[in-house]
Amino acid sequence: MSLAKRIIPCLDVKNGETVKGTNFVNLRSAGDPVELGKRYSDEGADELCYLDITASHEGRKTFTDMVTRVAYEINIPFTVGGGINAIEDVDRMLGAGADKVSVNSAALRRPEFIDEIANKFGSQVCVCAIDARMDEDGWHCYVNGGRIRVERTLLDWAKEVADRGAGEILFTSMNHDGVKQGFANEALAMLADELPIPIIASGGAGCREHFRDVFTLGHADAALAASVFHFGEIPVPDLKQYLRNENINVRI
């Protein structure tokens, strides 16, 4: 039996509330991040991911007090990202109760940051988030919440991330984000087949079948989604039962 596939609700946090957009813009409120997290924990989600979506852009730090409140309320692992630029930020997030940190813009600007996190805290703490878009000249990485393109291709950067000691890659397809037409399964399968570390798929979940496909066609180790969970379109327990019925190994 293969390792169980993970279902990870993602909570994008802005000014203390959960928000959700389409293609990284047009944000609308989805509720209190601590209450939502507790609900997902109770419903059987495997992990949670909290992203302070404007922290890098505005130069702010992720709200430590929210992390502390989440850690108090839930009993599953959770990852925190957004504005994590230095070892001190990682230390603070872990001290507040987070299990892992997600780095994106800071790692692309200074790749050694990945080595530093892995060396000090262990690879399991470092999730490297990659926001990439399929442009006319292929898959390219973006920083600052998808605002700025950098001259690194998706596969090239993902390989370096793994070599430097990241424990997992959280790949978000900007083309698929929020449009609910399915995950970027071709790109995901390429990453999963080329890399020795787990791949978390993000961007595109719209129905239960999309989760089935991301595990079978995309070879992903975990699937992350937001609005389909936040707005009650796909309850986590129903999704897991459906996946189990499709012969996909999930924890129930």
Side-chain angles (χ1 to χ4, degrees):
M1 178 72 84
S2 60
L3 281 175
K5 303 294 188 179
R6 291 171 286 151
I7 300 298
I8 307 176
C10 180
L11 298 91
D12 293 340
V13 178
K14 182 179 183 183
N15 301 328
E17 69 173 355
T18 311
V19 295
K20 186 64 194 111
T22 303
N23 301 123
F24 283 45
V25 293
N26 301 324
L27 302 177
R28 59 177 172 149
S29 176
D32 178 79
V34 181
E35 289 175 13
L36 267 178
K38 186 174 189 318
R39 190 184 93 199
Y40 294 139
S41 176
D42 293 343
E43 287 180 350
D46 297 293
E47 297 180 20
L48 296 176
C49 185
Y50 284 91
L51 301 176
D52 186 340
I53 60 170
T54 52
S56 294
H57 179 56
E58 297 171 4
R60 289 185 293 102
K61 302 301 184 187
T62 310
F63 289 124
T64 310
D65 60 331
M66 188 208 74
V67 175
T68 304
R69 285 162 49 222
V70 169
Y72 184 77
E73 291 287 349
I74 73 172
N75 57 10
I76 57 174
F78 71 101
T79 301
V80 176
I84 293 175
N85 303 307
I87 283 292
E88 297 76 39
D89 300 327
V90 181
D91 217 12
R92 193 174 69 251
M93 290 297 110
L94 298 179
D99 298 275
K100 310 175 193 179
V101 296
S102 170
V103 293
N104 186 342
S105 301
L108 269 162
R109 293 197 182 97
R110 196 173 68 83
E112 305 78 34
F113 190 32
I114 297 170
D115 307 66
E116 292 166 8
I117 297 171
N119 290 337
K120 179 160 186 181
F121 303 105
S123 289
Q124 78 285 351
V125 162
C126 185
V127 178
C128 192
I130 302 178
D131 296 336
R133 191 168 75 188
M134 172 58 100
D135 295 328
E136 289 183 2
D137 54 347
W139 283 99
H140 277 269
C141 300
Y142 282 71
V143 295
N144 283 36
R147 294 173 179 85
I148 302 168
R149 172 171 149 157
V150 295
E151 289 306 311
R152 297 299 300 265
T153 63
L154 170 60
L155 184 58
D156 167 56
W157 175 233
K159 284 182 173 177
E160 180 173 340
V161 161
D163 289 344
R164 287 183 177 275
E168 297 178 282
I169 287 173
L170 166 56
F171 164 50
T172 300
S173 164
M174 294 171 60
N175 310 72
H176 296 72
D177 179 67
V179 296
K180 300 185 178 181
Q181 298 297 308
F183 292 90
N185 292 323
E186 216 170 285
L188 283 160
M190 170 188 72
L191 293 176
D193 296 346
E194 292 271 352
L195 299 171
I197 60 176
I199 306 297
I200 305 168
S202 169
C207 63
R208 298 181 307 177
E209 290 78 12
H210 293 155
F211 288 90
R212 175 199 65 201
D213 292 346
V214 81
F215 294 133
T216 56
L217 305 177
H219 307 168
D221 298 277
L224 177 146
S227 59
V228 292
F229 297 139
H230 300 340
F231 301 117
E233 295 161 42
I234 306 177
V236 171
D238 294 3
L239 173 60
K240 286 195 156 190
Q241 192 56 60
Y242 164 80
L243 291 171
R244 177 66 68 85
N245 294 343
E246 292 287 324
N247 296 316
I248 293 166
N249 182 21
V250 290
R251 294 185 194 89
I252 292 183

